[in-house]
Amino acid sequence: MSRRRLTPGATAALLGLPVAFISYFFVYPLTAIFWRGLTATGTLSFDPFLDVLTSPSLRGVAWFTVWQALVSTLLTLAVGMPTAYVFARFRFRGRALLRGLSIVPFVLPTLVVGTAFLTLIGPNGALGIDLRGTVWAILIAHVFYNYAIVVRGVGSFWEQIDPRLEEAARVLGASPWRTFTRVTFPLLRPAVLASASLIFLLSFTSFGVVLILGDLAHTTLEVEIWRQTTAFLRLDVAAALAVLQLVGVGVLLVVYGRTSARRSRELPLQAGDTARPPRTRGQRLFVWTTVTFMMLFLGIPIAVLVVRSLRPAGGFGIDNYVGLFTATDSAFFVTAPEAMTNSLLFAFAALVIAVVIGVLAAVSSAYSSSRIAAMIDSGLMLPLGASAVTIGFGFLVALDEPIDLRTSIMLIPIAHALVAIPFVIRTSLPVMRSVQQRLRDAAAVLGAGPLRVWREVDLPIVARAIGVGAAFAFAISLGEFGATAFIVRPGNATMPVAIFRLLSLPGATNFGRAMALSVILMVLTGASVMFIDRLRRGTGGDI
Amino acid sequence: MIRSMALALATVSIVASCTSADSQPAEIVLLTHDSFAVSDATLAAFTEETGVAVRVLRSGDAGTMVNQAILTADNPIADVLFGVDNTFLSRAVAAGVFSRYRSPALDTVDVTFHVEGDMVTPIDYGDVCVNYDRAAFDESVIPIPAQLADLADPVYAGRFVVQNPATSSPGLAFLLSTIGTFGEGDDYNWKDYWTDLFANDVHVTSGWSEAYYTVFSGGSGEGSRPLVVSYASSPPAEVYFGELDESPTGVIAVGCFRQIEYAGVLAGTKNEAFARKLIDFMLSPTFQQDIPLNMFVFPANREAALPDVFIAHVTPPIDPIVMEPARIEENRERWIEEWTELAR
Amino acid sequence: MLDVQRATVRFGPIVAVNHLDLAVASGEVVAVMGPSGSGKSTLLRAIAGLEPLDDGSISFDGEVIDEIPAHRREFGLMFQDYALFPHRDVRGNIAFGLEMHGLDRSAVNRRVEHMLDLVGLAGLGPRAIATLSGGQQQRVALARTLAPQPRLLLLDEPLGSLDRALIDQLLDDMRAIFDQLATPVVYVTHDRDEAFAIADRVAVMQSGSIIRSATPEQLWDDPGSAFVARLIGLDNIIPAATVATWPGFSVDDEGGSVLLRPDRLTLSIDGRGCPVTIVNDRFSAGGHRVLAVTRDGTQVAVGTMQRWSAGDTAFLAARRDAVAHLRD
């Protein structure tokens, strides 16, 4: 299988910006804070590593971290694949809306989701079951958050696989299940692995969910690193834990990178929309059941928030919303329009950074024969697996020379982009690798230079996947993922920060307004993502 | 964008370094935590008085903020730090974060708040106390606990929620309160007390928000337990933010822990003079009177007037526990580890 | 034997297959011809079980198969663009249907080798699909379809994307295979030469229904309607009234249109017949195809062995059976 390869020079040119970015904003700060931690006693010491490795409680924490991330990933895949299938193959009323909405949980601050969950599954909970403090609460919350990755990531790739392959299998005698195992899944595997890797990393470094829904018996490395840093300022222990965490993630990523590159193959990918309305009774039932489940699973916690937001101090009504827009009680609260504007601006900046860098990296990884390019691609995934606490502190320690960026407002979208870039890569890379060389050759013979070939052949097919990644990047930024909790922010508050502040004081108004702002955040996210979805359908001809 | 920012920053820093330390900066930078709040009018008053604007940098919680200050001690990112409290003070001072300054306005502050060495200036204080749900106790025959020891009584089983001292500031304060109350001696000490509390099915959350809003039953809480570790300022906050006449919650006045919040000039700042002015301003009536309704803590300046809602609904704590910052710093890790052992 | 009765398939407001009747006997090859959008592919998919019927029913060998899912109908469907499995090699593709039927490894291998021989691709078993030429892919697709010995063969434009020379070769090969198999075949195409070459019977589809079903010869001799005539490539469809005005031409009925068969028209310089001017002359395999225009501006195509030049004047005459009336 021949594939047009980039020259080493071209590869280097494409990788220049991503490498520079990841070196300066990730490798350098991380190295700096690790160094700081390991030289805390005055000389470089590896004792903290020994302390960590020999501590049974910390080993237990490490094991739990891996275990819950693995189970969360499997559960999310199990729950999300049927939904991905429905969205990929069937057209039905509300499809675009629901696909956009599935990403909404992604952006909700963990404090808000935790609160909603606790009210549902607590001793008084509406659902009647007490899961408080159990590992199930954490797992279900992870599925809730990461559902969209499967539905949108795997779903969009699935959509681009020619349905006639599945139909051919059916006519040749394969039952629907055998069609899935023998034909569909082998073709889908790159996208499934990509989504699985993202979900695993997010669950692995999950902080807020574990902090709020977990308990003393169920804690992860990330929480432990935070505890060691914030409560004890034991930078040495924290550094040791963070290094171990990173090494573990790094090994996984290398393995993943090797397997995914080796197994990638060309697929006849469609640029257009292959979904059709369900026609048989069986299909209708399946679509209806899956969509209903999705609406309930995602909708009930969200409904809790909406209901709570409509209960201001006085009873029932929209006072909380009105208050958010008009109240100037004190400078404690930033008004909703301000917070929304700030959030949107940061999200836009993060999207641009993430898409530019992510696409450059994905392109060089997909089209280069260089082993290094594949490694860079895995390297760019590392921020997802690295401790947000250490990255945040790393910025402070490292970024003071030659230019003092430590209190720069740009650090916020940069921190978001660090988390978002892996999403852009993971959604676009499987598709890029699958574009048929035949199509590119045809274009080249017709007189298109390499860049033109890419634009005319690959881009329309890949654009949709890039759009999925871009939507995630936008949502990640709106939801303030990653290291932003641990960097120093100049005054401009974003919505999650405003929500957090509201929840740090008692009072029905505060709580109600926090819920209302969360609802606004959800609506804003849903609307933005649907807008991005629609944009990419308008580009590249008949996408 | 980064390049033009870098250019701008480079220019500004060149210009700044050409000027003498006493000339007027355009702004001074205040590093603080996420709970910091004052009215825009108050900050504007400072600018009017001095001609210098205040730029606020926020750091998450207080612990994160202190760590950030320590990590950047040799090249500070701000001029003034506000929000280090007595639990973190020793660590910050030992790391050389501050530059000594004794504000003339310090005379308005109670002597017990003063810090030896004047590395920092007390600005406000709060008390972490057990809050209770008035309605729940009105309806039941169980009496309101009068002191911490009562909570170990089986009659309060399953009725109390606290926060993890390793992850929560009021959680730590309550732990210190129990250590201050019961001591570390051979008789019934704080560990025995906690053993009894755990036997009494006390619920532990990781943060204040979850405890108050989802486990506590009083006021705006939606949970089922009528006793929670919170602040003395929580009842007036319920009234103020709930537009109520009466506070739905009350405070157990005995066994509170006093948290004092300080501000300090950061060592290495290039705007020492104006940084000091900001500290002075923070003790001024303008600033101090703005504190209660914005941050829900009490002004350190004795002469500052409290808002009505505070006067009407605050239960003044009786003999709040005050602990030496040095003692806290020395023992914090051990105490938390020992607590965690008991909690498992 | 396949029996489709009043089959109807609707996609929302659009009726793709409209109360269609079709019967295919054992060993018979029926070509289904029609313009794009006439519902040919949908018909095939409905027979295969990939589209549920909204009305009507389909039986095979007397058994109603409407409720039987696609994977149990034991039919073979060959797609336009082949839909070969990219994750399996040539052998893997051909073996797929056999694996689904539970054959053991050695039986599968034997059958795959046999199929490869049959379609002339012996030895290409281990090749990856992406490395095959168009003609090779078509043969693999055919082999894959035939391997599990389907009771009915459905082919959807199987030669659509290949070049002329290859098509001729493959047509011969396929005809030979069909003759060997005695399986009923439904062969969808838009190409007249393909249909005529391969089919025992041609069914013409328009807007979801079969409007004409006849042998290729019958169809050629008597298209019956302008639509069918155009579909099978016969032009010279002219209003009867116009032809009636031409010297030397007579029509039985001045209403409707007539078809003037190009191969039964003559051009001469001798003055008998309808005066025309030559527009152009195109030489092709069967001789010259001359385009002439009458005084009233009607263009007429004529097949002749002589060479003519643009601008020449000539006289157009009709031999016996040149004029065929069309029912429209």
Side-chain angles (χ1 to χ4, degrees):
Chain A
M1 179 172 62
S2 77
R3 175 176 290 190
R4 172 149 298 166
R5 297 291 180 185
L6 293 172
T7 62
T11 311
L14 282 174
L15 281 179
L17 192 55
V19 169
F21 183 82
I22 207 78
S23 304
Y24 192 64
F25 290 110
F26 179 66
V27 178
Y28 176 40
L30 219 53
T31 316
I33 194 76
F34 286 161
W35 185 258
R36 202 53 182 260
L38 295 173
T39 55
T41 52
T43 55
L44 181 63
S45 156
F46 289 104
D47 287 343
F49 285 105
L50 292 172
D51 290 342
V52 163
L53 288 171
T54 54
S55 152
S57 67
L58 285 175
R59 279 208 303 268
V61 168
W63 168 243
F64 178 71
T65 311
V66 172
W67 180 88
Q68 59 85 22
L70 206 57
V71 175
S72 298
T73 307
L74 292 172
L75 268 181
T76 314
L77 282 175
V79 168
M81 290 281 280
T83 317
Y85 169 66
V86 165
F87 275 92
R89 288 284 177 246
F90 296 109
R91 203 196 294 269
F92 50 91
R93 216 186 316 221
R95 177 178 177 236
L97 180 70
L98 280 175
R99 190 173 8 207
L101 287 185
S102 68
I103 211 176
V104 158
F106 209 57
V107 307
L108 290 175
T110 50
L111 188 53
V112 170
V113 169
T115 310
F117 265 57
L118 287 174
T119 54
L120 283 173
I121 59 174
N124 279 20
L127 293 180
I129 35 171
D130 186 359
L131 294 175
R132 197 186 291 244
T134 65
V135 74
W136 282 106
I138 297 176
L139 295 175
I140 295 176
H142 282 161
V143 175
F144 179 77
Y145 265 114
N146 296 315
Y147 193 63
I149 298 179
V150 180
V151 170
R152 291 173 64 97
V154 176
S156 92
F157 189 79
W158 203 329
E159 205 172 344
Q160 295 190 279
I161 295 177
D162 190 349
R164 284 184 297 189
L165 294 172
E166 291 162 359
E167 288 175 345
R170 299 263 310 283
V171 178
L172 283 166
S175 67
W177 176 246
R178 288 183 89 178
T179 306
F180 179 74
T181 54
R182 302 296 211 96
V183 176
T184 317
F185 189 75
L187 296 173
L188 213 46
R189 200 173 10 224
V192 172
L193 281 180
S195 296
S197 67
L198 285 172
I199 300 171
F200 183 84
L201 288 178
L202 284 174
S203 305
F204 191 76
T205 55
S206 173
F207 177 70
V209 166
V210 178
L211 194 63
I212 296 169
L213 293 175
D215 62 4
L216 290 157
H218 301 118
T219 185
T220 59
L221 280 175
E222 185 73 21
V223 173
E224 193 56 33
I225 292 171
W226 177 72
R227 245 172 44 109
Q228 292 287 341
T229 314
T230 319
F232 305 142
L233 199 60
R234 291 291 308 274
L235 281 187
D236 49 349
V237 176
L241 285 170
V243 167
L244 288 172
Q245 184 187 46
L246 205 57
V247 165
V249 166
V251 166
L252 278 166
L253 284 175
V254 166
V255 169
Y256 166 73
R258 290 271 178 83
T259 44
S260 64
R262 195 169 47 216
R263 280 156 167 259
S264 75
R265 64 178 73 81
E266 292 183 357
L267 287 177
L269 286 179
Q270 320 288 313
D273 196 354
T274 57
R276 296 158 70 230
R279 296 206 60 237
T280 67
R281 206 160 44 121
Q283 287 176 347
R284 268 196 276 267
L285 190 64
F286 188 73
V287 170
W288 190 84
T289 326
T290 312
V291 169
T292 306
F293 168 80
M294 176 178 162
M295 293 203 297
L296 285 177
F297 182 64
L298 296 184
I300 291 181
I302 292 176
V304 166
L305 295 178
V306 174
V307 166
R308 290 291 162 67
S309 73
L310 294 170
R311 282 210 246 134
F316 198 82
I318 59 166
D319 291 359
N320 286 323
Y321 292 92
V322 173
L324 279 174
F325 282 86
T326 60
T328 45
D329 303 292
S330 68
F332 189 81
F333 308 111
V334 61
T335 63
E338 255 185 78
M340 285 160 66
T341 315
N342 290 335
S343 280
L344 287 171
L345 287 175
F346 284 139
F348 184 71
L351 183 153
V352 169
I353 298 174
V355 169
V356 167
I357 296 193
V359 169
L360 284 174
V363 166
S364 47
S365 182
Y367 302 130
S368 162
S369 50
S370 154
R371 199 83 81 69
I372 300 198
M375 292 200 333
I376 301 285
D377 155 40
S378 293
L380 282 168
M381 291 273 284
L382 273 179
L384 259 190
S387 162
V389 178
T390 42
I391 297 179
F393 283 150
F395 280 169
L396 272 185
V397 167
L399 301 181
D400 54 346
E401 311 252 303
I403 300 156
D404 191 348
L405 289 173
R406 297 174 300 173
T407 60
S408 162
I409 200 172
M410 281 309 290
L411 279 188
I412 296 172
I414 286 172
H416 295 162
L418 278 178
V419 173
I421 288 168
F423 278 82
V424 175
I425 296 179
R426 281 290 147 265
T427 48
S428 48
L429 194 52
V431 175
M432 278 186 202
R433 286 212 176 107
S434 309
V435 175
Q436 293 171 297
Q437 182 61 18
R438 196 159 47 110
L439 299 175
R440 289 197 211 107
D441 288 341
V445 164
L446 287 168
L451 206 57
R452 194 73 194 277
V453 167
W454 198 81
R455 215 177 72 205
E456 302 290 343
V457 175
D458 296 66
L459 192 57
I461 296 173
V462 171
R464 141 172 295 155
I466 295 179
V468 173
F472 271 118
F474 200 80
I476 284 168
S477 178
L478 283 180
E480 297 271 347
F481 275 56
T484 47
F486 305 104
I487 63 177
V488 177
R489 316 173 59 110
N492 332 41
T494 53
M495 286 187 283
V497 170
I499 293 169
F500 190 81
R501 278 199 225 161
L502 284 167
L503 285 176
S504 63
L505 271 186
T509 310
N510 291 328
F511 189 74
R513 286 189 189 169
M515 298 295 112
L517 196 53
S518 302
V519 172
I520 293 178
L521 175 59
M522 289 194 290
V523 169
L524 203 59
T525 310
S528 314
V529 165
M530 283 177 66
F531 178 70
I532 295 176
D533 282 350
R534 185 148 301 168
L535 267 187
R536 59 186 168 87
R537 278 185 199 280
T539 60
D542 53 18
I543 295 181
Chain B
M1 201 196 270
I2 294 189
R3 205 177 304 164
S4 53
M5 266 209 68
L7 212 48
L9 278 167
T11 316
V12 166
S13 50
I14 292 174
V15 169
S17 62
C18 290
T19 59
S20 70
D22 278 272
S23 73
Q24 183 151 309
E27 61 176 21
I28 54 169
V29 183
L30 173 68
L31 177 65
T32 180
H33 50 57
D34 258 335
S35 300
F36 174 80
V38 284
S39 328
D40 292 329
T42 306
L43 287 180
F46 178 80
T47 309
E48 238 180 81
E49 236 176 75
T50 61
V52 176
V54 178
R55 184 155 81 101
V56 177
L57 296 176
R58 295 178 196 280
S59 267
D61 61 47
T64 308
M65 175 193 69
V66 166
N67 288 327
Q68 287 173 341
I70 293 176
L71 284 172
T72 56
D74 52 354
N75 185 4
I77 49 179
D79 303 302
V80 176
L81 179 82
F82 170 85
V84 55
D85 73 0
N86 38 342
T87 58
F88 284 111
L89 182 58
S90 267
R91 178 193 296 180
V93 169
V97 164
F98 298 111
S99 158
R100 184 188 307 261
Y101 174 59
R102 191 185 199 287
S103 170
L106 199 54
D107 299 326
T108 59
V109 176
D110 196 298
V111 168
T112 54
F113 291 4
H114 294 198
V115 168
E116 219 177 285
D118 289 325
M119 295 305 267
V120 290
T121 311
I123 306 292
D124 62 67
Y125 67 94
D127 295 299
V128 173
C129 309
V130 176
N131 282 213
Y132 64 88
D133 177 358
R134 284 222 164 106
F137 279 97
D138 284 344
E139 282 164 11
S140 91
V141 295
I142 303 170
I144 298 169
Q147 51 183 337
L148 290 189
D150 293 345
L151 292 165
D153 191 313
V155 78
Y156 296 108
R159 292 191 145 79
F160 188 29
V161 54
V162 301
Q163 300 90 12
N164 185 335
T167 55
S168 161
S169 165
L172 178 60
F174 182 68
L175 174 62
L176 296 174
S177 183
T178 61
I179 295 174
T181 305
F182 299 100
E184 299 193 82
D186 295 324
D187 295 334
Y188 190 86
N189 61 20
W190 68 272
K191 290 198 238 186
D192 298 317
Y193 176 66
W194 276 98
T195 309
D196 288 343
L197 276 186
F198 286 120
N200 234 8
D201 188 25
V202 68
H203 186 95
V204 180
T205 66
S206 51
W208 177 88
S209 300
E210 306 92 86
Y212 196 90
Y213 279 122
T214 71
V215 187
F216 181 52
S217 60
S220 47
E222 312 241 348
S224 58
R225 294 182 178 224
L227 292 157
V228 68
V229 168
S230 186
Y231 298 92
S233 61
S234 296
E238 286 281 356
V239 170
Y240 186 70
F241 290 114
E243 292 161 29
L244 304 169
D245 302 317
E246 281 285 320
S247 170
T249 58
V251 159
I252 300 176
V254 178
C256 296
F257 184 84
R258 177 141 292 178
Q259 287 181 321
I260 307 162
E261 208 167 26
Y262 303 92
V265 175
L266 288 173
T269 166
K270 301 201 172 37
N271 302 305
E272 187 102 18
F274 284 93
R276 291 180 173 189
K277 285 203 158 88
L278 185 58
I279 305 270
D280 296 336
F281 179 73
M282 284 189 189
L283 278 178
S284 70
T286 320
F287 189 92
Q288 291 277 309
Q289 272 158 199
D290 203 23
I291 288 178
L293 287 178
N294 277 313
M295 295 197 267
F296 281 81
V297 287
F298 297 84
N301 184 333
R302 278 179 305 228
E303 291 152 25
L306 285 175
D308 290 331
V309 72
F310 268 63
I311 298 173
H313 300 282
V314 162
T315 312
I318 301 171
D319 292 331
I321 315 267
V322 179
M323 205 180 273
E324 278 284 308
R327 183 177 174 212
I328 299 176
E329 181 59 26
E330 217 179 284
N331 295 292
R332 186 224 324 277
E333 194 171 334
R334 173 175 65 85
W335 283 335
I336 291 179
E337 309 257 277
E338 289 174 358
W339 181 92
T340 309
E341 279 306 306
L342 290 172
R344 280 198 210 282
Chain C
M1 130 121 209
L2 174 75
D3 192 8
V4 178
Q5 294 188 347
R6 300 185 55 72
T8 307
V9 178
R10 287 188 209 101
F11 296 118
I14 302 171
V15 186
V17 177
N18 193 357
H19 295 100
L20 188 145
D21 294 317
L22 178 69
V24 184
S26 178
E28 188 182 15
V29 177
V30 172
V32 175
M33 277 190 74
S36 333
S38 49
K40 320 189 286 292
S41 294
T42 312
L43 173 63
L44 277 195
R45 291 167 60 84
I47 297 173
L50 296 173
E51 296 291 351
L53 292 178
D54 291 306
D55 201 359
S57 97
I58 302 178
S59 321
F60 192 83
D61 281 351
E63 180 198 5
V64 172
I65 60 169
D66 298 348
E67 297 302 313
I68 300 182
H71 66 278
R72 287 213 285 268
R73 289 195 184 190
E74 310 268 343
F75 292 169
L77 174 58
M78 186 168 150
F79 290 84
Q80 216 172 0
D81 290 350
Y82 321 133
L84 293 174
F85 301 134
H87 61 295
R88 287 169 162 245
D89 58 16
V90 168
R91 152 171 287 114
N93 268 271
I94 299 175
F96 190 86
L98 304 167
E99 288 168 14
M100 291 304 113
H101 282 80
L103 266 63
D104 64 68
R105 168 84 57 99
S106 54
V108 168
N109 285 341
R110 272 200 307 276
R111 181 101 183 121
V112 168
E113 290 305 320
H114 174 70
M115 296 313 304
L116 284 172
D117 284 335
L118 183 67
V119 298
L121 290 178
L124 262 65
R127 289 275 290 275
I129 301 299
T131 63
L132 299 176
S133 70
Q136 289 170 326
Q137 289 191 6
Q138 192 266 1
R139 291 174 201 254
V140 173
L142 186 61
R144 181 177 76 175
T145 312
L146 294 175
Q149 296 179 297
R151 318 188 275 174
L152 169 70
L153 267 183
L154 305 161
L155 300 108
D156 193 348
E157 310 257 13
L159 303 178
S161 41
L162 301 174
D163 59 74
R164 191 85 245 154
L166 206 46
I167 287 179
D168 289 335
Q169 170 71 45
L170 289 170
L171 271 176
D172 287 340
D173 291 344
M174 282 201 296
R175 184 76 232 197
I177 292 173
F178 294 161
D179 287 339
Q180 243 182 49
L181 290 177
T183 321
V185 177
V186 180
Y187 188 109
V188 161
T189 179
H190 64 278
D191 185 303
R192 180 232 19 236
D193 288 332
E194 246 180 82
F196 282 13
I198 203 115
D200 299 318
R201 194 153 54 89
V202 177
V204 178
M205 252 182 101
Q206 183 189 19
S207 303
S209 305
I210 292 183
I211 56 170
R212 187 76 198 280
S213 174
T215 68
E217 292 82 3
Q218 286 168 340
L219 211 59
W220 184 255
D221 273 341
D222 178 21
S225 72
F227 173 79
V228 175
R230 280 197 201 94
L231 191 67
I232 60 177
L234 293 168
D235 31 22
N236 283 356
I237 297 169
I238 304 163
T242 314
V243 177
T245 64
W246 297 350
F249 284 78
S250 65
V251 296
D252 300 330
D253 172 8
E254 299 223 351
S257 308
V258 294
L259 172 70
L260 299 177
R261 312 198 77 95
D263 45 314
R264 298 185 193 160
L265 295 171
T266 62
L267 287 172
S268 59
I269 48 174
D270 63 10
R272 278 191 317 176
C274 175
V276 296
T277 312
I278 307 297
V279 176
N280 64 38
D281 177 337
R282 206 166 23 116
F283 182 71
S284 69
H288 294 260
R289 191 169 176 76
V290 179
L291 199 61
V293 64
T294 59
R295 291 257 165 79
D296 58 49
T298 314
Q299 290 200 333
V300 182
V302 183
T304 166
M305 300 307 286
Q306 289 170 285
R307 171 184 286 276
W308 294 84
S309 308
D312 291 348
T313 51
F315 291 90
L316 181 74
R319 289 212 277 264
R320 286 182 56 225
D321 302 333
V323 179
H325 276 273
L326 298 175
R327 304 172 292 280
D328 222 322

